[in-house]
Amino acid sequence: MTQTLIEPRRASPEAVVDVTRVAVSTVIFSLRRDPGTDRLAVVVPLVMRTRDPHEGQWALPGGWLDATESLDAAASRTLAETTAIAPSYLEQLYAFGAVDRSPTRVVSIVYWALVRPDEIPAAPVENVSWHDVAELPRLAFDHNHIVEYALWRLRNKVGYSRIAHGLLADEFTLAELREVYESILGRRLDPANFRRQAENSGTLIPTDRFRTGSHRPARFYRYNQDVELADRGPLASERTPENESSTS
Amino acid sequence: MTQTLIEPRRASPEAVVDVTRVAVSTVIFSLRRDPGTDRLAVVVPLVMRTRDPHEGQWALPGGWLDATESLDAAASRTLAETTAIAPSYLEQLYAFGAVDRSPTRVVSIVYWALVRPDEIPAAPVENVSWHDVAELPRLAFDHNHIVEYALWRLRNKVGYSRIAHGLLADEFTLAELREVYESILGRRLDPANFRRQAENSGTLIPTDRFRTGSHRPARFYRYNQDVELADRGPLASERTPENESSTS
């Protein structure tokens, strides 16, 4: 098919602005230890864009909402298709809809989740790479802004809920828990204060097992499953907005 | 224009399902004292639908997203157009996108806000009426579900933030504050316990003024503006997702 000069392949913004499309994107937080610095970093998977707009730039995993699937289902599907990651739950984060966030009008419903390092597919996935959130390149669209917002929510949440659980093994030492908090908050925490607060929080149960090795033995703890997860999010509760009529 | 039998006025679900439209709706919570029972009730404004689908049913105020406005701007505009209410801020609540929530495919970005009774327009607005959330009729679409979810969030928030402030005058007695909590939570609170917790919260400042009347004088309190509003929501912070490129 030939294109005439009168009908350009991409319509001008004025011509397409009355069509609003819905996309979903997902921010997946995990942890990775930098082999060089031995620092534990918060990382997110990004997908290299292979077409315009923003061809050649990194972007959050996502895609278009299919008209026959719920928002939750679209988030899970597009995440699996692009990254092969399948978290046990995804939580809706925010709908981003600034007029100029994309060359055409796109409202993006953003989901987020935490995955433990062992939940990440071992085999590399084409065009996908994990990036330290502290050292992100310039991402496509408003995705830097979205990651920043998701981090802000993560930092807020870690203070009053067991959200770090989503990044840890079932049993962990207090030093390991503190390191997770430090990597999320981006600052050092006083070990003695942290230990006191953690032990007094009522959310941790000491086990009879210890990590042994080069240091003195460190007790393993686990989260108390009886304590209700504070504000884990609507998708974890009975009042899931889409419970009643989800397609998934 | 005439319609043929072959082309019905409303397309079948199969025919329209590839078009997804974006709407905004808003849940406005306020308080109203029932003259009969003297009970303080949480109330929301609803708009009578004057066209299909759901003609003649009550619905949340809202409307279609205009392609040239941000989500925030659309929420403010449609709320003002339908109810003449203009809250100082609207917070995004959730995006509802179940496939069958409407005869055509509609993703609704829902906002919410609290308004003090004195912020409600004095003159009645056509087709608008305020309803006790405990006694809602069957609403259009999934709007009962949306109100229920917004209430769940309100009840969660009232426990760890100064959210009741949005419903009270600048100065209030502890009995008035307790009554707001009771109306939101839907249960009685022990006055002595409530007073102790409120006084120890660090968020209230006693004034030198007292409410006098038929009972013994009750001290007026105000909120300590220096205490950061816990999780007031993204729209209240510098990290507003749409800050950078909002049209409003």
Side-chain angles (χ1 to χ4, degrees):
Chain A
M1 236 172 78
T2 57
Q3 297 279 336
T4 69
L5 284 174
I6 292 167
E7 190 169 320
R9 284 188 63 197
R10 191 182 303 167
S12 68
E14 288 74 22
V16 297
V17 86
D18 60 327
V19 178
T20 299
R21 287 190 297 171
V22 179
V24 293
S25 290
T26 305
V27 182
I28 298 292
F29 288 120
S30 192
L31 295 172
R32 188 185 61 188
R33 191 171 302 280
D34 186 306
T37 64
D38 200 44
R39 192 178 69 89
L40 198 65
V42 177
V43 291
V44 292
L46 298 174
V47 182
M48 174 65 73
R49 286 188 61 82
T50 56
R51 67 184 71 176
D52 263 335
H54 299 289
E55 183 177 351
Q57 279 191 290
W58 295 103
L60 291 168
W64 298 113
L65 171 70
D66 188 284
T68 59
E69 68 189 344
S70 69
L71 298 174
D72 300 359
S76 296
R77 173 184 60 78
T78 57
L79 181 66
E81 284 173 358
T82 52
T83 67
I85 301 167
S88 55
Y89 85 103
L90 286 172
E91 181 180 332
Q92 197 187 99
L93 178 69
Y94 204 83
F96 291 80
V99 174
D100 58 359
R101 57 181 300 279
S102 172
T104 58
R105 184 72 199 274
V106 180
V107 171
S108 193
I109 317 293
V110 178
Y111 283 74
W112 68 322
L114 312 181
V115 299
R116 293 192 309 273
D118 62 279
E119 294 176 286
I120 298 174
V125 178
E126 199 186 349
N127 292 326
V128 174
S129 126
W130 290 76
H131 296 251
D132 184 337
V133 295
E135 296 165 2
L136 288 185
R138 172 81 187 91
L139 306 182
F141 307 109
D142 54 355
H143 290 187
N144 289 89
H145 182 55
I146 292 176
V147 174
E148 221 179 285
Y149 177 68
L151 257 179
W152 174 79
R153 282 274 285 263
L154 177 64
R155 287 175 178 146
N156 267 351
K157 272 201 158 180
V158 85
Y160 62 87
S161 77
R162 300 183 310 169
I163 201 160
H165 191 199
L167 294 166
L168 280 167
D170 288 344
E171 298 194 351
F172 44 85
T173 68
L174 291 185
E176 289 166 353
L177 181 63
R178 176 167 51 82
E179 200 182 12
V180 170
Y181 272 74
E182 288 176 340
S183 66
I184 291 173
L185 297 173
R187 59 186 168 87
R188 294 274 161 261
L189 299 171
D190 179 71
N193 276 343
F194 184 82
R195 170 175 295 272
R196 190 166 48 245
Q197 285 177 14
E199 286 176 342
N200 293 338
S201 69
T203 60
L204 296 181
I205 295 176
T207 73
D208 294 334
R209 288 170 292 286
F210 291 81
R211 181 181 299 292
T212 53
S214 55
H215 301 286
R216 63 173 180 179
R219 186 185 292 276
F220 278 117
Y221 288 76
R222 60 183 175 81
Y223 273 110
N224 182 354
Q225 302 296 336
D226 295 337
V227 177
E228 203 186 342
L229 250 184
D231 194 25
R232 183 175 169 180
L235 297 185
S237 83
E238 286 182 359
R239 301 209 180 223
T240 303
E242 307 216 346
N243 253 358
E244 292 173 16
S245 47
S246 171
T247 58
S248 58
Chain B
M1 239 172 76
T2 57
Q3 300 278 337
T4 69
L5 283 175
I6 294 168
E7 189 171 319
R9 285 187 63 195
R10 192 184 302 167
S12 70
E14 289 74 23
V16 297
V17 87
D18 61 328
V19 179
T20 299
R21 285 189 298 171
V22 179
V24 293
S25 291
T26 305
V27 183
I28 297 294
F29 288 120
S30 192
L31 296 171
R32 188 186 60 188
R33 191 170 301 281
D34 187 306
T37 63
D38 201 43
R39 190 178 69 89
L40 198 64
V42 177
V43 290
V44 292
L46 297 174
V47 181
M48 174 65 74
R49 287 189 59 83
T50 56
R51 68 185 70 176
D52 262 335
H54 298 290
E55 183 178 350
Q57 278 191 293
W58 294 102
L60 291 168
W64 298 112
L65 171 69
D66 189 284
T68 59
E69 68 189 345
S70 68
L71 298 174
D72 301 358
S76 295
R77 173 183 60 79
T78 57
L79 180 66
E81 283 174 1
T82 53
T83 68
I85 301 167
S88 54
Y89 84 104
L90 286 171
E91 181 179 333
Q92 198 187 99
L93 178 69
Y94 205 83
F96 291 80
V99 174
D100 59 359
R101 58 181 299 278
S102 172
T104 58
R105 184 72 200 274
V106 179
V107 172
S108 193
I109 318 291
V110 177
Y111 282 75
W112 69 321
L114 311 181
V115 300
R116 294 192 310 273
D118 62 280
E119 294 175 285
I120 298 174
V125 178
E126 199 185 350
N127 291 327
V128 174
S129 122
W130 289 76
H131 295 251
D132 184 338
V133 294
E135 296 166 2
L136 287 185
R138 173 82 188 87
L139 305 183
F141 308 108
D142 55 355
H143 290 188
N144 287 89
H145 181 55
I146 292 176
V147 174
E148 221 179 287
Y149 176 67
L151 256 180
W152 175 77
R153 282 275 285 264
L154 177 64
R155 285 174 180 148
N156 267 351
K157 274 202 154 180
V158 86
Y160 62 86
S161 78
R162 301 182 309 168
I163 201 161
H165 191 196
L167 295 165
L168 280 167
D170 289 343
E171 299 195 351
F172 44 84
T173 68
L174 290 183
E176 288 166 353
L177 181 63
R178 175 168 51 82
E179 200 182 13
V180 170
Y181 272 74
E182 288 176 341
S183 66
I184 291 172
L185 297 173
R187 59 186 169 86
R188 292 276 162 259
L189 299 171
D190 179 70
N193 276 343
F194 183 83
R195 169 176 295 272
R196 189 165 48 246
Q197 285 177 16
E199 285 175 342
N200 293 338
S201 68
T203 60
L204 296 181
I205 296 176
T207 73
D208 294 334
R209 288 170 291 285
F210 291 82
R211 183 181 298 292
T212 53
S214 53
H215 300 287
R216 60 174 179 179
R219 187 184 292 276
F220 279 116
Y221 288 76
R222 60 184 173 81
Y223 273 110
N224 181 355
Q225 302 295 336
D226 296 338
V227 178
E228 201 185 344
L229 249 184
D231 195 26
R232 183 176 170 179
L235 297 185
S237 84
E238 285 182 1
R239 302 211 181 221
T240 304
E242 307 215 348
N243 253 0
E244 292 172 18
S245 49
S246 170
T247 58
S248 58

